[in-house]
Amino acid sequence: MITLQHHPKLTDVAAFIARLNGNSETHIGYCGKKFDEVIDTLKKDFGDLPARDAFLIATKSDHIIGVCGFDADIERGKAEIWGPFVDYEDVLQVSIMLWEAMIRKIPDVIHTVSLFPEDNNKKVMTFANELSFDSISKESVLTCSKETFRRITNDSVINLSSEHYSSFMKLHEQLFPNAYIKGNEIIEGLSEKSTVFGVVDQHNKLLGYLYAEADPEFGEGSIEFFGVTPLSRNKGIGASLLSKGLEWLFAFPSIEEVTLCVRADNNKAIRLYKSLGFTIEHQLTLFEKRLDKSK
Ligand SMILES: CC(C)(COP(=O)(O)OP(=O)(O)OC[C@H]1O[C@@H](n2cnc3c(N)ncnc32)[C@H](O)[C@@H]1OP(=O)(O)O)[C@@H](O)C(=O)NCCC(=O)NCCS
């Protein structure tokens, strides 16, 4: 008999996710692949609810066969679904059991949930269709290693200072109106591990920016946002910003790999990423579903 368990041990959850998420056939874009990284996120940096309240596990004969949870963003009314991760012959059956129990745990303020399976993860792709999720976009995850990084000259790139904050916030909103993080939140969170670089013209007007985050504890870095004003494109500003961002991240001794996520049809950006040494690691589909809690 398959049993569902609420408030599971986070080490069990993290071990199960780390085991399945390294395989493209069971990969989900939101979650890490290394046990240490997953457990750290679950314990310290997991949405607006404690992870133990947001996860369920399915067991059979005392063995874990499935895990699913949600990472809630209460302010935006959205949650990212971590899973479903299932290691059992009838994946769909266990996925639906986990889903139905999990959905009852999601607070009413959450109106939309998203799934982010790798396209090769046929089981979760089928699950999304069975549950009538809307397919929102195709996304690519690219990685660049210290060895493949091809640096280019970037003398024009500056560290963003307070005089540029308001134009940065405007440009960020203009280029990424639905971003998971707003410009003011990026500014408030700036630290030695997260930075914004910019390029300005002779009148000190901001022409482009790049926001990067370092995670030296786990040897990783990411380019989170990167854009140039429409009139300033095709002049090499994007390439300079990207090179500077990678240089900054790879200056952390432990960081060997930098990751980013981009829409799969953004050929221009992908060409640029590849020219500096990135390669495509995952092709994923973002799905969303509005929850009707009245049913
Ligand atoms: C992606 C983006 C950041 C690129 O910025 P950019 O400043 O135009 O980038 P570059 O100028 O370095 O390179 C773009 C092209 O211009 C060419 N180029 C660079 N310098 C040039 C010059 N002096 N003269 C002519 N062409 C030039 C590059 O070879 C490249 O050509 P390609 O598209 O044929 O490969 C920009 O298009 C953008 O802001 N897009 C919207 C936001 C976005 O998609 N962000 C990335 C995803 S998060």
Side-chain angles (χ1 to χ4, degrees), residues 175-176 224-229 232-240 261-262 266 268-269 271-273:
L175 296 178
F176 305 102
E224 295 289 317
F225 293 99
F226 162 49
V228 173
T229 59
S232 308
R233 290 178 191 163
N234 302 320
K235 294 176 183 163
I237 294 176
S240 301
C261 183
V262 59
N266 193 342
K268 184 173 176 158
R271 261 199 315 276
L272 189 53
Y273 294 140

